[in-house]
Amino acid sequence: QVQLVESGGGLVQAGGSLRLSCTASGRTFSSYGMGWFRQAPGKERELVAAISHTGVNTYYADSVKERFTIVRDNFKSTVYLRMYSLKPEDTGVYYCAQNRGIGLQYREVDFASWGQGTQVTVSS
């Protein structure tokens, strides 16, 4: 069983930046791909970024390409989401998740473990 703990959310003005962190414990972190999802008020949860177990392969939703970067540090069992040029539509609860295998996954059902979420609010 793995535990995922997110941090780094907060309130930021449009155009600002934030870095989210997710630290894992309880399972070999480097053996699994990771993802960041977000859920905006009144909307379904969506995948915004994913990374393979080595960090070589990444995926970004179209809405965040060129603005968000996902990286991982397997020595620290931590995955990061760096967010730049934030927009009000980036507001939501951001969840870290660990998938069931080594590669990239895109569907919620393919992620076995979830963090508790961290709120990101972007004011206009």
Side-chain angles (χ1 to χ4, degrees), residues 108-123:
E108 281 195 43
V109 68
D110 294 321
F111 288 80
S113 301
W114 295 80
Q116 81 287 353
T118 185
Q119 177 71 43
V120 171
T121 303
V122 184
S123 63

Side-chain angles (χ1 to χ4, degrees), residues 2 4 22-24 29 32-37 47 49-53 57 70 72 74 77-79 96-99 101-105 111 113:
V2 65
L4 303 173
C22 171
T23 300
F29 180 75
Y32 300 91
M34 300 292 296
W36 283 97
F37 289 77
L47 177 66
I51 190 166
S52 61
H53 70 305
N57 297 308
I70 186 170
R72 65 189 295 160
N74 285 345
S77 296
T78 300
V79 61
C96 167
Q98 185 178 74
N99 74 32
I102 62 174
L104 295 176
Q105 300 291 345
F111 288 80
S113 301

Side-chain angles (χ1 to χ4, degrees), residues 6-21:
E6 301 104 332
S7 61
L11 173 64
V12 64
Q13 289 188 331
S17 61
L18 283 174
R19 187 185 76 164
L20 306 183
S21 300

Side-chain angles (χ1 to χ4, degrees), residues 15-68:
S17 61
L18 283 174
R19 187 185 76 164
L20 306 183
S21 300
C22 171
T23 300
S25 61
R27 198 158 122 182
T28 306
F29 180 75
S30 60
S31 296
Y32 300 91
M34 300 292 296
W36 283 97
F37 289 77
R38 73 181 175 196
Q39 186 165 23
K43 295 188 177 181
E44 294 186 353
R45 190 157 57 183
E46 61 174 345
L47 177 66
V48 295
I51 190 166
S52 61
H53 70 305
T54 61
V56 170
N57 297 308
T58 57
Y59 161 85
Y60 297 96
D62 287 344
S63 59
V64 305
K65 279 181 181 177
E66 309 300 328
R67 300 189 300 117
F68 288 14

